[in-house]
Amino acid sequence: MRLLTRYGSVLLLAALWEAAARLGIFNRVLFPPATVILVRLGSMLWEGVLVQEAGQSLLRMGTGFALALAVGIPLGMLMARSRKVEGFFAPIFAFGFPVPKIGLIPIFLLFLGLGHGSKIALVFLDALFPVVLNAFHGVRLVERQFIWSARAMGDSEAAILRRVVWPAALPHIFTGIRLGLIVSLIVVFLSEMVSAGSGLGHVMIISARNFKIVDMYTAILSIGLLGALLDRAVLAARAQALQWYEGEAAA
Amino acid sequence: MKIVARDVSKAFRDPRRSVEVSALEAMSLSVRDREFVSILGPSGCGKSTFLYIVAGFIQASGGEVLVDGRPVTGPGRDRGIVFQEYALFPWQTVLGNVMYGLREGDAREREARAREFITKVGLGGFERHYPRELSGGMKQRVALARTLAYDPDILLMDEPFGALDTQTRLLMQEELLRIWEANQKTILFVTHSVDEAVVLSDRIVVMTARPGTVKKSVEVPFGRPRVVEDLMHDVAAMDLRTDLWHLVKAEVLKGGPR
Amino acid sequence: MSPDGAKRPNRNPRPSTFRRDGESPDGAKRPNRDPRPSTFRRHGLRALKALARGYSLGLLLLLWEFVPRMGLVAADILPPFSTTIRNVGTLIMEGELQRHVALSLVRQTAGLVLGVVGGVTLGVFMAWSRGVRAFFEPLLMLTNPIPKAALIPLFMLWFGIGTFSKVMLIFVGTIIPVVISSFHAVADVSRNHLWSARAMGDGTTRMLLRVVLPAASPQVLTGIRLGLIVSLIVLVGSEMLAGREGLGWFIAYTMETGAYDLTYASMLTIAVIGFCYDRLYLALMHRLLAWKEEGA
């Protein structure tokens, strides 16, 4: 019941859609009834087609994203702690951050082919920038007095990094992770639409081009659900890791 | 002498105007073992800078600081620090914060010691709370407990009660007196409050406006243990306050509008 | 452990290479930063530093130039940097490039402006009206995490493959983060500020323009930046997928026809455009948020 009132507007729109499609107010081909899409989603899930395609997309996205975290977080923190490292990488990150990396997809296709490699590389590259920049700022913005306090209590530099800098920078690092996830998802589906033989993005564009409209809506719905699910997961991990911070922000 | 500072100077570079600004000039000061010395001066006179140099967080441009006869080259566990902004780690509970600096013994012993000091500053029962759940005065008690718990010889206090309201401030001053009288540490206490300096210290060092240096060193003639309220109405204390107030006011006016 | 923190960048007020959204470039928000200069900043080293700072980018360009020249990669798959620059020049002379660039820019700018104006308006209404909020909040919560790439085929179907469809994509990609950030920002505006304005006799419109929007601008700008980044990606992607014009299409077209030298020229162009958009944004932010630095 609470869910009903909370998502009242969404349910209302869905109901309107359904009614309009059924009553023929909308073009039934372009706007199939919501229930038809849901039924197709169910059957495609049951047949396992959707799971397989989603698996392809997730594999590409997950690998690229994980690589971006593994490289980006240490690199961003290192850039904040070492002037030399920052001096070396700063121009690349300052210049490359706003560049829509999807435009570089031809390079990846030429050098890495049409398979997983090119998509993973593109996801990696696109997710890397927000991850690095937020880790960098997170470490830069650690209160000087936190570090001083730890130093006064005799902590070594390594201990300060682990016990003070890391927890203090974690809120920013999570911001980077979330932004990286948003961008990764867009990029993986886009790159599958532009060039791939598999994946949800591919299913979606092929269905659209062949006017299999219900299939297209089903793919869009699954992509939306997948995105929402992963976003929730990151938010949950964040809430878990940053209990002290969430409360502080609310206080 | 516990702390000896000789001709300490510090120049900053103003990043906006690209000029050197002298914050401290030929600041010399000696503190006896177990002495409570307050550094009193107008804001911006470099008193916190001096404290940070003694703590080893920043390096002097000239002169030297000796602690127990050895030159200061960096921070050390012999000098504990308490900041005005508490600097409690927000991701740690009260207990976690106080345990942070403890090294000796196993986890259980360290926890017992931390609890002991939390109780000592009157926060028993708040061990599992996060800093955000505490008032300013409670946070400063935790900061004090964190520093006292690992038992440094010297306490460096940078306007520790400056952010508190008047009542809390008086309570904390009494608390600090009580703790200091029981533990007998050497304290270097930075403040811009004349009343606070008079109530707490054995000796008050008045600083000049920027570039800061010692203007006058004044012995506080009142015995121990002290009661804050008694000193508020004591005639001799009032006279001392008036004298100090004139000294500081002259420096504030010299510093010009800021 | 060195007592001298000169090499610890986190204690230095040096302007960061990357500015954080909504924050002054020299960390003015944090007054307790160490104001000490770094040794690196001394006058004689200034020029050297400027050179040193650019060298990773320079290195990249050098690699781009010499890897194909030395035959490590075939020049028709990776034409050298200088050749690519020349190709950009040729494309401009022929009038081909600017046509696509102009179209992409028009689409991007139109969608962005619509998204920002609509987003801020809706955000304000949501913050001030319970009913509006109750209607739109669940919609936003549901649509926000949808990867915007999924909208491309949908909008192709609904709005065709022309400019309108692309503008709508960018509009949606921008409006969602802008609504969310401006809603939160407006709801967070301090009550005392609002009351002060009321006490001085401000009406609602005046208060909105003079108090609410300025106070909310840092957060709103952060939302705009996210929208800008996402919508640029989606624009290029959608142009690649459908249509016969635009920079994204040109990239895909030259790639498909094997004119790789032109592909590289257009990719370079798109990189520069993204960069310029960002600089424009930063300049705007700097101007709008100049007041924030005065607190330092």
Side-chain angles (χ1 to χ4, degrees):
Chain A
M1 191 61 216
R2 238 187 81 229
L3 218 69
L4 205 72
T5 47
R6 208 159 150 217
Y7 288 102
S9 56
V10 177
L11 291 174
L12 185 74
L13 285 182
L16 278 178
W17 172 301
E18 178 76 21
R22 295 263 174 214
L23 294 172
I25 298 169
F26 287 170
N27 181 331
R28 187 122 183 220
V29 179
L30 288 188
F31 297 92
T35 44
V36 172
I37 299 167
L38 280 176
V39 167
R40 177 63 62 89
L41 181 69
S43 74
M44 279 174 90
L45 272 175
W46 182 251
E47 288 160 18
V49 193
L50 223 45
V51 179
Q52 201 184 336
E53 300 293 349
Q56 292 286 312
S57 301
L58 273 179
L59 177 71
R60 292 162 179 162
M61 191 230 100
T63 313
F65 183 53
L67 279 175
L69 294 189
V71 173
I73 294 173
L75 181 60
M77 293 182 75
L78 200 64
M79 277 168 67
R81 302 283 289 180
S82 155
R83 195 165 293 252
K84 278 191 189 135
V85 179
E86 190 206 345
F88 183 79
F89 285 107
I92 287 196
F93 283 99
F95 183 80
F97 178 54
V99 173
K101 264 79 65 185
I102 186 79
L104 307 182
I105 198 170
I107 301 186
F108 293 99
L109 295 176
L110 280 173
F111 288 94
L112 298 171
L114 292 163
H116 288 327
S118 55
K119 276 111 211 152
I120 291 173
L122 202 61
V123 168
F124 166 76
L125 196 65
D126 246 316
L128 185 67
F129 284 83
V131 170
V132 166
L133 294 185
N134 281 284
F136 173 83
H137 287 301
V139 172
R140 264 294 162 84
L141 293 174
V142 175
E143 297 266 349
R144 180 181 67 168
Q145 291 186 347
F146 290 167
I147 293 173
W148 279 5
S149 296
R151 206 166 275 162
M153 289 186 270
D155 267 7
S156 66
E157 288 304 299
I160 289 175
L161 194 67
R162 184 171 54 81
R163 297 173 76 190
V164 178
V165 174
W166 171 256
L170 206 53
H172 277 96
I173 292 175
F174 263 106
T175 305
I177 293 177
R178 190 162 181 223
L179 285 177
L181 179 77
I182 292 174
V183 177
S184 302
L185 282 166
I186 295 179
V187 168
V188 78
F189 295 125
L190 255 186
S191 65
E192 284 176 352
M193 282 192 265
V194 174
S195 78
S198 63
L200 282 178
H202 173 73
V203 173
M204 185 165 67
I205 198 74
I206 291 296
S207 314
R209 289 206 169 126
N210 297 329
F211 288 95
K212 289 179 167 174
I213 305 300
V214 178
D215 284 5
M216 182 198 81
Y217 277 107
T218 311
I220 291 174
L221 192 59
S222 349
I223 285 176
L225 288 175
L226 207 61
L229 212 66
L230 289 172
D231 194 49
R232 287 274 124 189
V234 167
L235 286 181
R238 183 198 149 94
Q240 187 62 38
L242 296 179
Q243 277 165 5
W244 59 272
Y245 183 79
E246 297 292 323
E248 194 174 58
Chain B
M1 283 295 158
K2 191 74 181 169
I3 305 170
V4 178
R6 279 197 211 107
D7 290 331
V8 173
S9 65
K10 179 72 195 175
F12 289 114
R13 192 177 180 79
D14 185 327
R16 271 160 213 268
R17 288 176 294 160
S18 292
V19 286
E20 293 275 320
V21 179
S22 180
L24 283 175
E25 218 164 73
M27 171 98 181
S28 294
L29 172 69
S30 296
V31 181
R32 291 188 302 274
D33 194 16
R34 294 170 190 206
E35 190 179 18
F36 194 132
V37 174
S38 287
I39 301 179
L40 183 65
S43 54
C45 74
K47 50 194 192 298
S48 293
T49 307
F50 177 71
L51 197 77
Y52 295 161
I53 290 172
V54 175
F57 298 141
I58 59 180
Q59 236 178 9
S61 316
E64 62 173 351
V65 177
L66 306 176
V67 170
D68 289 326
R70 285 186 300 276
V72 167
T73 56
R77 278 168 73 86
D78 53 341
R79 284 152 288 145
I81 180 102
V82 179
F83 294 105
Q84 178 179 344
E85 302 87 352
Y86 328 120
L88 295 180
F89 302 129
W91 55 90
Q92 294 270 18
T93 58
V94 168
L95 187 65
N97 266 290
V98 179
M99 280 179 73
Y100 190 99
L102 299 179
R103 296 279 172 81
E104 279 91 48
D106 58 28
R108 191 179 304 170
E109 285 164 9
R110 278 179 305 189
E111 185 177 328
R113 184 167 173 88
R115 284 179 184 280
E116 178 194 330
F117 278 87
I118 291 168
T119 311
K120 212 173 252 184
V121 297
L123 284 179
F126 286 92
E127 286 84 353
R128 296 286 168 201
H129 287 241
Y130 280 99
R132 62 163 195 269
E133 300 164 312
L134 306 178
S135 68
M138 290 159 90
K139 282 184 202 169
Q140 198 53 285
R141 284 165 199 266
V142 179
L144 199 57
R146 181 171 76 178
T147 307
L148 289 171
Y150 69 93
D151 200 25
D153 283 356
I154 299 171
L155 280 188
L156 304 173
M157 308 187 82
D158 184 17
E159 304 211 26
F161 309 140
L164 306 179
D165 61 81
T166 316
Q167 277 81 21
T168 314
R169 197 173 172 140
L170 287 177
L171 280 174
M172 289 300 291
Q173 288 167 359
E174 279 180 354
E175 195 92 8
L176 181 64
L177 278 178
R178 188 175 60 73
I179 290 168
W180 178 72
E181 276 152 12
N183 293 279
Q184 289 290 304
K185 294 191 181 300
T186 308
I187 296 185
L188 199 52
F189 189 100
V190 163
T191 181
H192 63 254
S193 159
V194 171
D195 293 3
E196 186 165 83
V198 169
V199 165
L200 297 174
S201 343
D202 296 323
R203 187 152 57 90
I204 298 169
V205 172
V206 182
M207 281 183 73
T208 63
R210 177 174 278 197
T213 189
V214 176
K215 176 171 184 161
K216 198 170 182 191
S217 176
V218 181
E219 293 285 338
V220 179
F222 313 119
R224 311 261 182 193
R226 287 183 194 164
V227 180
V228 174
E229 281 138 74
D230 294 355
L231 281 184
M232 283 168 72
H233 308 292
D234 185 280
V235 178
M238 278 192 220
D239 287 348
L240 180 59
R241 279 206 292 268
T242 311
D243 291 349
L244 286 167
W245 191 77
H246 281 295
L247 283 172
V248 175
K249 185 185 170 193
E251 292 308 317
V252 171
L253 294 177
K254 216 161 67 187
R258 283 176 193 278
Chain C
M1 179 183 3
S2 154
D4 168 26
K7 284 185 210 124
R8 290 277 128 53
N10 55 335
R11 297 213 239 131
N12 197 286
R14 188 169 48 100
S16 152
T17 322
F18 322 107
R19 287 171 195 165
R20 255 164 54 91
D21 296 314
E23 193 182 42
S24 69
D26 56 348
K29 252 168 86 181
R30 353 205 75 244
N32 57 348
R33 285 288 188 84
D34 189 347
R36 245 149 7 99
S38 77
T39 46
F40 216 97
R41 255 198 131 162
R42 264 182 238 137
H43 280 296
L45 284 169
R46 277 256 169 99
L48 207 83
K49 185 187 155 195
L51 268 178
R53 289 188 73 77
Y55 77 113
S56 59
L57 203 59
L59 204 70
L60 210 67
L61 294 183
L62 278 178
L63 275 176
W64 184 357
E65 181 68 29
F66 286 104
V67 163
R69 282 209 185 283
M70 286 159 54
L72 296 172
V73 174
D76 41 338
I77 291 185
L78 181 67
F81 178 57
S82 54
T83 315
T84 306
I85 293 278
R86 228 179 6 254
N87 287 338
V88 173
T90 315
L91 279 173
I92 291 176
M93 298 284 272
E94 289 169 357
E96 183 76 5
L97 197 59
Q98 48 275 52
R99 191 164 67 84
H100 297 296
V101 168
L103 194 61
S104 292
L105 284 182
V106 165
R107 290 166 172 173
Q108 171 71 30
T109 310
L112 191 70
V113 169
L114 285 175
V116 169
V117 172
V120 172
T121 312
L122 187 54
V124 169
F125 275 113
M126 277 176 67
W128 282 2
S129 154
R130 209 174 278 266
V132 177
R133 179 178 169 181
F135 184 82
F136 282 102
E137 201 171 23
L139 276 179
L140 280 169
M141 279 176 58
L142 230 64
T143 45
N144 183 36
I146 295 177
K148 299 299 165 290
L151 298 179
I152 294 175
L154 200 65
F155 283 22
M156 272 164 55
L157 198 68
W158 291 353
F159 308 122
I161 54 171
T163 294
F164 180 66
S165 162
K166 309 285 192 264
V167 171
M168 287 309 287
L169 265 178
I170 293 155
F171 169 69
V172 172
T174 316
I175 196 171
I176 293 178
V178 173
V179 171
I180 292 174
S181 62
S182 48
F183 161 60
H184 286 298
V186 172
D188 283 352
V189 173
S190 128
R191 200 178 52 181
N192 288 354
H193 285 163
L194 298 181
W195 283 355
S196 304
R198 285 275 187 224
M200 287 184 274
D202 274 8
T204 303
T205 319
R206 199 175 156 79
M207 182 170 77
L208 188 71
L209 293 178
R210 291 207 321 173
V211 179
V212 176
L213 291 184
S217 55
Q219 268 176 278
V220 174
L221 281 166
T222 311
I224 293 178
R225 188 172 207 194
L226 179 59
L228 186 64
I229 287 165
V230 165
S231 63
L232 262 178
I233 300 176
V234 176
L235 173 71
V236 175
S238 71
E239 286 182 342
M240 284 177 151
L241 280 164
R244 266 166 276 105
E245 288 159 310
L247 204 46
W249 171 81
F250 191 66
I251 291 177
Y253 172 75
T254 52
M255 173 81 186
E256 264 163 44
T257 52
Y260 298 142
D261 47 344
L262 300 186
T263 312
Y264 279 95
S266 42
M267 283 193 293
L268 188 64
T269 311
I270 220 160
V272 172
I273 287 176
F275 180 72
C276 291
Y277 251 115
D278 195 54
R279 289 290 122 167
L280 214 66
Y281 166 86
L282 286 176
L284 181 78
M285 185 191 86
H286 210 58
R287 218 194 162 106
L288 286 177
L289 301 185
W291 53 273
K292 284 198 85 171
E293 272 174 279
E294 284 166 20

